[in-house]
Amino acid sequence: MHSPRLIPVPALADNYIWLLANGNQCLIVDPGEAPPVLAALRRESLTPTTILLTHHHPDHIAGVGGILAACPGLSVIAPHDERIATATRRVADGERVQIDAPRADFEVIEIPGHTRSHIAFFGAGVVFAGDTLFSVGCGRMFEGTPPVMLASLDRLAQLPGETLLCCGHEYTLANCAFALSVDAGNADLQRRSEQARALRARGEPTVPVALALEHATNPFLRVDAPALIDTCTKALGAAAAQDRVARFAWLRREKDSFRA
Ligand SMILES: [Zn+2]
């Protein structure tokens, strides 16, 4: 018996395409381009069976055509969104995705905000969260409002702490710089920042990462933490800072304009 293996495949500028492999079979998550995936399949002697897509952005789906041309007949599982033309099956909140090879069982979680139809796949000890939750950060709200995005982050935050977060981009160092600007006294965050710096200096990914560490370090999961309430109170005033959506909205706006 083999145990499942997670392989982050760097792609484009700072994307990760994820492979989940067991034995010589694998599934592919969010292929923004085909060549690095096809190279990884050859290198690891893997045969893909399934492609999972979290949202319609080209840097997550543009490689599907090239992969299907090389490996015909794969299932392509995607949210209900006509902007993803290659889907063979569309899934909604609460649906189960059972894959025979590699054997894996996922629950679909709708997490709108970055885009209106964004979904996550939770199963096999991991969550493929696309561009909604990053390590020490969260996605931009292209098609959603702060209450919608915060509700989506809250849902991901409820998953078990040992769940490994597999996100769509290597943004951790920049996210740590922002997080330290609003949560400076957080020792876990300071350690995570140092660890991420060391990993990147060796050319290694900072993800996957356990959700428990995100609870301790990610300001967008810490809108109810005293340190973040404090920061927001200084910026917004005590009355406005009582509202957790207002705190989240302010943090997200600050991150949009933050330059380290
Ligand atoms: Zn995106």
Side-chain angles (χ1 to χ4, degrees):
M1 274 302 286
H2 303 266
S3 49
R5 276 191 305 145
L6 267 176
I7 304 165
V9 178
L12 303 167
D14 48 29
N15 279 77
Y16 287 125
I17 299 164
W18 291 92
L19 306 183
L20 180 69
N22 204 340
N24 60 355
Q25 285 164 315
C26 74
L27 55 86
I28 303 166
V29 185
D30 281 0
E33 58 176 343
V37 175
L38 298 176
L41 296 176
R42 274 194 301 273
R43 189 174 63 239
E44 307 273 343
S45 303
L46 292 171
T47 304
T49 63
T50 308
I51 298 175
L52 305 179
L53 302 176
T54 64
H55 68 295
H56 76 280
H57 284 158
D59 63 319
H60 292 251
I61 69 169
V64 172
I67 293 169
L68 291 177
C71 320
L74 303 189
S75 308
V76 182
I77 300 173
H80 289 269
D81 192 319
E82 68 288 349
R83 295 173 292 188
I84 302 174
T86 52
T88 61
R89 177 183 169 195
R90 297 189 189 272
V91 290
D93 196 58
E95 271 187 66
R96 295 221 154 254
V97 174
Q98 286 182 300
I99 297 164
D100 292 332
R103 182 131 198 85
D105 185 0
F106 293 97
E107 179 191 343
V108 176
I109 306 174
E110 290 182 356
I111 45 171
H114 177 69
T115 69
R116 60 178 157 75
S117 61
H118 199 305
I119 59 175
F121 295 91
F122 166 60
V126 310
V127 62
F128 296 110
D131 288 354
T132 298
L133 179 63
F134 296 121
S135 184
V136 199
C138 75
R140 286 177 185 262
M141 296 177 291
F142 291 116
E143 299 178 358
T145 57
V148 168
M149 187 71 173
L150 182 57
S152 293
L153 293 172
D154 286 343
R155 287 197 72 184
L156 295 175
Q158 284 160 15
L159 299 177
E162 66 271 22
T163 306
L164 293 177
L165 169 66
C166 299
C167 55
H169 291 271
E170 178 59 69
Y171 287 162
T172 310
L173 276 184
N175 287 343
C176 283
F178 171 71
L180 285 166
S181 78
V182 294
D183 195 9
N186 182 338
D188 292 316
L189 174 58
Q190 292 159 6
R191 268 194 299 277
R192 172 63 169 151
S193 179
E194 289 311 310
Q195 177 214 38
R197 198 186 312 279
L199 286 167
R200 296 310 292 152
R202 296 198 296 268
E204 291 175 28
T206 63
V207 284
V209 57
L211 283 179
L213 185 57
E214 293 305 307
H215 281 286
T217 57
N218 190 321
F220 299 99
L221 299 187
R222 286 171 49 75
V223 295
D224 301 322
L228 274 295
I229 293 176
D230 232 45
T231 297
C232 292
T233 300
K234 288 186 185 113
L236 298 172
Q242 278 176 24
D243 176 6
R244 67 193 300 272
V245 174
R247 296 197 294 272
F248 171 75
W250 179 79
L251 285 166
R252 185 57 262 183
R253 269 199 318 275
E254 287 296 297
K255 175 67 171 69
D256 284 342
S257 56
F258 182 77
R259 296 287 173 271

